Amino acid sequence: MKLLFSLPIVCLTFSLIQPALAVVDDESLGNVSIISERCDAEADRNAQLDCYKSQLEFLASQGSVQSEELFLADKQSTRQSRRCYRGICIGDTVFYRESKQSIFKSEVVDLTELNKFAIKIFEDTGSLRSLKYDLGIGELSIAKGCLAGLCVGDESIQMRTVDGKQTNYYVKIVGINFTSNELAVEYRQEDGFTAMYGDGWDYDKFALTSGCVKHVCVGQEYLNKERSNVRVKVVGLRMDNKFLIEYLEGDFTKNKAWGFWNAEDFLPLQN
């Protein structure tokens, strides 16, 4: 039996008609990140996939991983020669909701003849978390493209209303689900972006952090004539061409990114 890499030999018994499976040493048992590193070293994509499949099947037989973690489609499926389906291709970065509160950065590694995807899911640290297969396109947000003027990579303000109170978050658009027309985001804190992700947000819940309407532009300071000409800074532009502002003086300064204001509500600063 040909081993994929140098390891202590593990003795297994196979029938004559059963194909040989690559196995892993004790250090690798339950450690999918080691499997990922070794299989990714294979030069050919099909060899990489065969490596993953054989090693994970062995681990599953030892009880080290759950059978649902085997990331290839069932044995009756055959691989497609084409690499993309509806804009999502093998090798693309996607975002996958593993549970209600858990959104993970992932990589597409295979596509079956039934247009189902297999992905590698990564921890926030970049290490491999798990492997999933048989996923429909509606379960993935692709890390490229634009939707209604919002593009992957754009920094934006996400607007929420909770118990009648407006709350806003600074985010970066990281993925788009073109099946549901919803966005995946990465949240920003004071010290930068956090690798904390969320998805399932409608595009009309976002405001751009650049752009102009008439004489008013994001990033500039004005007087808000609807608030006794207090000085404000325009920080966001919604999809309906209304602005979000931060108050720079008066009793409103504790409120961040409030809206929603028309261009006609602002006057230029007085010299």
Side-chain angles (χ1 to χ4, degrees), residues 154-211:
D154 283 349
E155 295 187 19
S156 179
I157 297 173
Q158 182 189 39
M159 303 167 290
R160 301 189 200 175
T161 301
V162 180
D163 296 329
K165 181 180 179 181
Q166 181 184 340
T167 304
N168 301 286
Y169 299 86
Y170 283 89
V171 300
K172 179 190 294 183
I173 308 298
V174 295
I176 302 172
N177 186 317
F178 287 104
T179 301
S180 62
N181 287 333
E182 294 172 331
L183 299 167
V185 301
E186 181 179 9
Y187 292 96
R188 191 183 78 186
Q189 295 181 342
E190 291 183 358
D191 56 350
F193 286 95
T194 60
M196 294 177 58
Y197 302 109
D199 72 350
W201 301 106
D202 294 332
Y203 67 87
D204 60 356
K205 298 297 190 293
F206 293 85
L208 298 173
T209 54
S210 63

Side-chain angles (χ1 to χ4, degrees), residues 1 3 8 13 34 46 50 54 56-57 78 83-84 122 131 133 137 151 156 172 182 193 195 203 216 234 243-244:
M1 176 174 69
L3 295 177
T13 302
I34 291 179
N46 283 343
D50 289 336
S54 60
L56 288 170
E57 282 181 340
T78 58
R83 295 174 57 85
C84 302
F122 298 101
L131 304 131
Y133 69 97
I137 192 170
C151 298
S156 179
K172 179 190 294 183
E182 294 172 331
F193 286 95
Y203 67 87
V216 179
V234 175
F243 291 98
L244 301 181

Side-chain angles (χ1 to χ4, degrees), residues 9-116:
I9 296 177
V10 180
C11 296
L12 297 174
T13 302
F14 298 91
S15 66
L16 292 178
I17 60 173
Q18 184 174 7
L21 294 180
V23 297
V24 296
D25 55 20
D26 290 340
E27 177 189 15
S28 298
L29 290 177
N31 191 336
V32 291
S33 64
I34 291 179
I35 293 176
S36 177
E37 292 174 4
R38 292 174 175 172
C39 291
D40 285 351
E42 295 287 338
D44 177 74
R45 185 176 74 87
N46 283 343
Q48 291 176 358
L49 298 177
D50 289 336
C51 174
Y52 273 118
K53 180 180 179 182
S54 60
Q55 294 195 52
L56 288 170
E57 282 181 340
F58 175 75
L59 293 180
S61 72
Q62 304 299 307
S64 300
V65 297
Q66 300 298 314
S67 58
E68 60 265 24
E69 289 180 323
L70 302 180
F71 78 120
L72 292 177
D74 64 63
K75 295 178 181 178
Q76 302 303 316
S77 298
T78 58
R79 295 189 189 120
Q80 303 187 84
S81 58
R82 63 190 179 90
R83 295 174 57 85
C84 302
Y85 174 63
R86 291 178 58 186
I88 298 182
C89 302
I90 293 172
D92 278 347
T93 297
V94 295
F95 288 84
Y96 170 69
R97 177 185 288 275
E98 190 174 65
S99 64
K100 184 176 181 180
Q101 300 297 328
S102 300
I103 314 300
F104 291 97
K105 189 176 184 178
S106 309
E107 178 187 345
V108 176
V109 294
D110 202 18
L111 173 62
T112 73
E113 65 178 358
L114 301 178
N115 295 323
K116 297 292 187 177

Side-chain angles (χ1 to χ4, degrees), residues 199-260:
D199 72 350
W201 301 106
D202 294 332
Y203 67 87
D204 60 356
K205 298 297 190 293
F206 293 85
L208 298 173
T209 54
S210 63
C212 301
V213 175
K214 298 182 178 179
H215 64 284
V216 179
C217 294
V218 176
Q220 301 299 310
E221 295 181 10
Y222 300 92
L223 299 178
N224 186 332
K225 67 180 186 180
E226 298 298 323
R227 287 289 186 267
S228 302
N229 288 345
V230 296
R231 189 164 56 93
V232 300
K233 181 178 181 179
V234 175
V235 296
L237 175 59
R238 290 169 26 120
M239 298 298 104
D240 59 3
N241 286 337
K242 293 183 182 293
F243 291 98
L244 301 181
I245 61 173
E246 289 183 358
Y247 291 94
L248 302 179
E249 60 185 11
D251 296 334
F252 299 99
T253 53
K254 63 181 179 180
N255 299 320
K256 301 292 186 181
W258 272 58
F260 309 105

